[in-house]
Amino acid sequence: MRKVYFQNEHTTIIYNKEASLGTVTCHGEVIGTDFREAILICLDMIDRFELKCLIGDNSKCKAIASADLEWCQEVLLPQLALGPVLKVALLLSQSEARHGVIELVVDKENSMGQKLFIRSLPDETEALAWFMEPG
């Protein structure tokens, strides 16, 4: 069952504990402290419910600011590497999608030799199908 974890005028964060899935949907322009607050709330949700999969839906959002992307590399990626998430699907905005497909594999910082897979996909249906694939 999907439940809203956080919602404001720019961001909706939903989780489904049974499916071990979180979804972050951004609307309009989410930058700076609003963007970072949403990410930190999302990280809290992931840890609280030990979610394995995450959809970052920026399809209705303007492009992410370069300073916020740098912050993601410095803060978000290391936190995801420490946490339970194994797959992140990014649904990109039209402006971001023009920059090409994102695929990233990060070694998780645990003793199980796991990896964190991040991939851009066109829609939620493809993301859910990818989550069901082994590995």
Side-chain angles (χ1 to χ4, degrees), residues 17-37:
K17 190 173 179 182
E18 292 79 24
S20 196
L21 170 66
T23 303
V24 181
T25 305
C26 296
H27 316 277
E29 189 171 41
V30 184
I31 57 172
T33 56
D34 289 338
F35 176 81
R36 295 169 192 201
E37 176 188 38

Side-chain angles (χ1 to χ4, degrees), residues 111-130:
S111 61
M112 299 170 62
Q114 293 175 310
K115 296 194 180 301
L116 168 65
F117 295 91
I118 301 172
R119 181 181 290 174
S120 61
L121 294 164
D123 57 47
E124 187 173 342
T125 302
E126 286 199 35
L128 294 173
W130 177 53

Side-chain angles (χ1 to χ4, degrees), residues 49-112:
F49 299 110
E50 298 182 3
L51 303 178
K52 303 288 185 223
C53 299
L54 178 67
I55 296 174
D57 185 352
N58 293 329
S59 62
K60 299 172 188 81
C61 186
K62 295 181 180 177
I64 297 172
S66 60
D68 291 331
L69 285 175
E70 287 176 30
W71 183 85
C72 283
Q73 290 178 342
E74 294 170 7
V75 176
L76 176 60
L77 281 179
Q79 290 298 312
L80 288 175
L82 290 170
V85 169
L86 298 173
K87 291 184 177 181
V88 176
L90 301 174
L91 311 183
L92 302 178
S93 70
Q94 292 299 324
S95 59
E96 290 174 316
R98 282 185 270 140
H99 297 292
V101 173
I102 296 170
E103 288 206 66
L104 181 63
V105 179
V106 177
D107 288 328
K108 294 198 55 76
E109 296 183 23
N110 61 31
S111 61
M112 299 170 62

